[in-house]
Amino acid sequence: MRDAPPASDVQDHEPASLDSLIPKRRIGPWLAALAFALLLGSYGLYRQVAAPQPLRVLIAVDLDGQWWEDSPGAAALADELAAILDGLGFETIHATPEALSALSDSASPHEAAERLGAAYLVTGEVTSEEEELPLPKGFRQVSMTVAVELHALPSRRVAAGEATTFSGARAPAQATRAAAASIARQVADRVVPALVADEPVAAILAGHDATLIDRLTPAQTYVGARAASLEDADRHYRETDEAWRRAATRRPLRWHSPASASDRLVGVAPDGPLVIASDSAPFYSPSAQKLLHDDALERLGRRDGERLVAAGWHGYHATAVDQAGPVTVLVDDLYGWARRLCVHEAERARTLVASETSWWREPRLSPQGTRLAILERTCRDCPEALVVMDVASGEERLRLAAPEVDRVGGYAFVDETRLAAVVATSGGSDALHLLDGALGEALFEAEGMGDLAASPSQIAVALGGAAEVALVSVAGDEAPRRHLVGGVASALRFAPDGARLAFELADPRGSTVLALLETANGDTELLTDEALAVRAPRFSPDGAWLYFEARGRDPVFPDARMLARIASVAVAPP
């Protein structure tokens, strides 16, 4: 019998395990290679997500903070601008959790834009001015200006421009949001053409990626239509300007307003004409797909911008300024809710009277600006009253109204206390009165009295039915002199020395020209031709120039706007 094998021999001959059949190698290098591959893939995915996307845009326009900092105004601006850009094929960054995290953690909008893969960044800071208007329930007027810039990341500035707008509402937040949305449309007008023209976007449009080209087609169409429309508008204004300059005039003219202006002549001060400038820039709306006009706040002052008296919404119904220019009175419409009379003296402005129930028009200042005459209605259907008040206190000095008078025609101050006025009384004809706190005796009576002008020594009054101008002595020491002028005279103005009278003259065919009458002998000279529609003559303080408005329909917006440009003609003293 054989002996059993030793234990060691049994162990040596046991069946081999699976591990014993695989060659033994170190596992560390394999794990490192796998980790590296995963890291490389993650980095590639990160680069794909974070790399600039060619049409991605971050809007970062500061309006009392940024939209991601909970600024309601900035949010309204960004929402409106984003809607426009998105609709034209661009990709704006919205308030996703990832975007808000990147924006809040970044040191600057530039850094956040790069982290979010934006190729472009729109920046700017809005300057906002607010005025609380004197209304019982409150009303906030907001005007905004922004200097906007478009950057191609990481550091190239593509374009820069300025936009301005205004709005108003009873609730301050509503006024701010409305103005912010309005200025966003102007920002889009500055930004979109620059985006489409920038080399990376232009390369997409010239390339072969049909998906991206189709996506940008709305932007390309918009920019093309905008450029064509603006070019047409510019051509129309140039042609109108050339036609006005060619219009036959009997003396050379100087032009003080641009071709697209809608200016109202307020008066002429020693440093030049004062105007209410109602500027309007053509704007191609991406939503309406047509050219609109973008109105700015009206500015009262010199057209060259050297002196600004006031700025506000285009509710000024009438204005007045004395020849020396230290006092200006505005009839200001407060967005239809109320009206106010504003007095501007040097650098100071104040409200003389404010009312929700009164309407005023045709203010006239005394020569030194201490009294104001104006027509007032206290309800929409009420007859007008002639009111004279102190400019300093607003105290009424005279009120002529029914039943004492039926109608008040033209009026003008002779001096600081006396007012010449055409008044019609019940059962009587038109009469020229000299008012000094009461309705005194008539100086002159005639049928069809119209506008008038006054100097310290004489009063000129238009007699429409007879195509005449009558010159009446203030002292009553001579008989009125009547001069045929060949048509209906209006807007009468004396030269500072009283030796000449300028006026609008409407001929039987309906055209209006400017005329100049020598008060000593009644000689009348036509200064402009019927080819140019003119109105509102005003003498310069030295009497050497006659300023006026040349008017016509806007060739770009014929149903919505009138052109009015300030011009002047030399009128040598006799």
Side-chain angles (χ1 to χ4, degrees):
M1 181 174 176
R2 297 178 59 185
D3 295 334
S8 60
D9 290 345
V10 174
Q11 292 174 359
D12 288 342
H13 291 87
E14 284 181 348
S17 68
L18 184 61
D19 288 341
S20 67
L21 300 177
I22 300 176
K24 301 293 184 180
R25 296 186 180 181
R26 291 178 300 170
I27 198 168
W30 285 93
L31 290 175
L34 179 61
F36 178 77
L38 291 173
L39 180 63
L40 186 64
S42 299
Y43 177 73
L45 181 61
Y46 166 79
R47 287 295 303 270
Q48 183 178 3
V49 173
Q53 301 301 301
L55 303 181
R56 187 173 294 171
V57 183
L58 173 63
I59 300 168
V61 179
D62 190 321
L63 201 173
D64 296 326
Q66 296 285 1
W67 58 266
W68 60 87
E69 297 171 338
D70 296 327
S71 165
L77 191 157
D79 287 345
E80 183 70 20
L81 181 55
I84 294 171
L85 294 178
D86 291 343
L88 294 175
F90 294 93
E91 175 195 352
T92 57
I93 293 172
H94 294 270
T96 63
E98 295 79 9
L100 292 174
S101 175
L103 289 164
S104 60
D105 293 342
S106 299
S108 68
H110 280 80
E111 180 183 323
E114 291 190 88
R115 290 179 60 181
L116 292 167
Y120 293 97
L121 172 67
V122 179
T123 64
E125 185 171 356
V126 178
T127 301
S128 179
E129 295 183 3
E130 299 185 7
E131 180 185 3
E132 186 68 29
L133 301 183
L135 296 174
K137 296 182 181 179
F139 196 90
R140 185 71 58 90
Q141 177 177 280
V142 178
S143 61
M144 292 182 179
T145 300
V146 60
V148 64
E149 293 186 352
L150 173 67
H151 302 268
L153 298 176
S155 60
R156 180 168 56 87
R157 191 174 78 166
V158 177
E162 186 174 280
T164 182
T165 193
F166 69 96
S167 186
R170 289 201 182 276
Q174 184 180 354
T176 298
R177 287 194 299 268
S182 174
I183 208 167
R185 293 187 282 273
Q186 293 190 47
V187 171
D189 189 63
R190 313 305 190 263
V191 165
V192 174
L195 277 170
V196 173
D198 197 43
E199 185 176 351
V201 179
I204 292 174
L205 288 168
H208 303 287
D209 190 327
T211 301
L212 287 179
I213 292 173
D214 287 346
R215 180 172 165 179
L216 283 175
T217 296
Q220 190 176 35
T221 301
Y222 161 76
V223 170
R226 174 185 179 274
S229 296
L230 291 176
E231 184 178 345
D232 283 346
D234 184 61
R235 176 176 54 81
H236 284 310
Y237 286 132
R238 287 199 315 270
E239 291 174 351
T240 301
D241 178 48
E242 292 168 1
W244 284 17
R245 292 179 184 274
R246 287 195 306 268
T249 56
R250 300 160 196 273
R251 297 187 185 187
L253 300 183
R254 299 185 306 180
W255 294 92
H256 306 277
S257 305
S260 61
S262 182
D263 292 350
R264 281 171 282 169
L265 183 60
V266 177
V268 185
D271 59 353
L274 293 179
V275 305
I276 289 182
S278 180
D279 288 338
S280 181
F283 162 75
Y284 193 83
S285 168
S287 56
Q289 291 292 302
K290 66 178 181 179
L291 202 65
L292 304 175
H293 57 96
D294 204 7
D295 296 328
L297 282 173
E298 288 191 343
R299 303 184 318 277
L300 169 62
R302 276 176 46 177
R303 168 40 98 168
D304 59 13
E306 289 298 319
R307 180 155 65 91
L308 178 67
V309 176
W313 182 66
H314 55 90
Y316 297 148
H317 285 181
T319 61
V321 62
D322 71 327
Q323 289 282 6
V327 180
T328 304
V329 174
L330 292 167
V331 181
D332 191 5
D333 187 296
L334 306 181
Y335 288 80
W337 295 100
R339 276 68 46 199
R340 64 177 172 181
L341 295 178
C342 297
V343 178
H344 295 266
E345 301 165 291
E347 301 298 322
R348 190 168 66 98
R350 57 187 172 87
T351 298
L352 186 63
V353 183
S355 174
E356 292 185 270
T357 57
S358 291
W359 284 260
W360 295 286
R361 68 182 184 92
E362 302 299 331
R364 299 285 186 269
L365 278 168
S366 60
Q368 299 303 315
T370 62
R371 290 197 177 183
L372 172 72
I374 196 165
L375 293 174
E376 179 186 34
R377 283 188 295 114
T378 54
C379 69
R380 289 189 179 275
D381 299 323
C382 294
E384 285 185 320
L386 176 63
V387 180
V388 178
M389 64 180 71
D390 283 333
V391 171
S393 64
E395 180 183 354
E396 282 192 10
R397 297 294 183 178
L398 172 70
R399 176 176 287 269
L400 280 183
E404 186 178 7
V405 299
D406 284 346
R407 181 183 67 87
V408 176
Y411 50 94
F413 280 96
V414 170
D415 50 36
E416 288 306 297
T417 59
R418 294 182 297 172
L419 182 76
V422 172
V423 177
T425 57
S426 179
S429 60
D430 292 344
L432 177 63
H433 290 261
L434 198 58
L435 309 176
D436 188 2
L439 185 63
E441 293 294 324
L443 294 177
F444 177 64
E445 294 187 22
E447 294 294 334
M449 283 191 185
D451 198 12
L452 63 78
S455 75
S457 61
Q458 60 185 336
I459 302 165
V461 59
L463 306 177
E468 293 177 319
V469 169
L471 296 176
V472 181
S473 169
V474 171
D477 54 357
E478 60 180 80
R481 291 174 287 130
R482 299 170 66 147
H483 301 286
L484 288 170
V485 293
V488 178
S490 59
L492 282 61
R493 291 283 171 166
F494 274 114
D497 61 3
R500 290 157 295 158
L501 179 75
F503 52 91
E504 300 171 17
L505 181 63
D507 67 18
R509 292 171 295 180
S511 60
T512 302
V513 297
L514 292 183
L516 195 66
L517 182 143
E518 303 292 343
T519 59
N521 54 28
D523 290 345
T524 301
E525 177 189 1
L526 302 184
L527 299 176
T528 63
D529 191 84
E530 60 184 19
L532 195 67
V534 295
R535 67 181 298 272
R538 302 283 191 279
F539 281 97
S540 61
D542 61 5
W545 293 88
L546 185 68
Y547 290 79
F548 59 92
E549 298 174 17
R551 297 175 62 84
R553 196 163 293 279
D554 190 315
V556 181
F557 308 104
D559 297 328
R561 191 168 180 266
M562 292 291 292
L563 295 184
R565 302 173 63 191
I566 308 305
S568 61
V569 58
V571 285

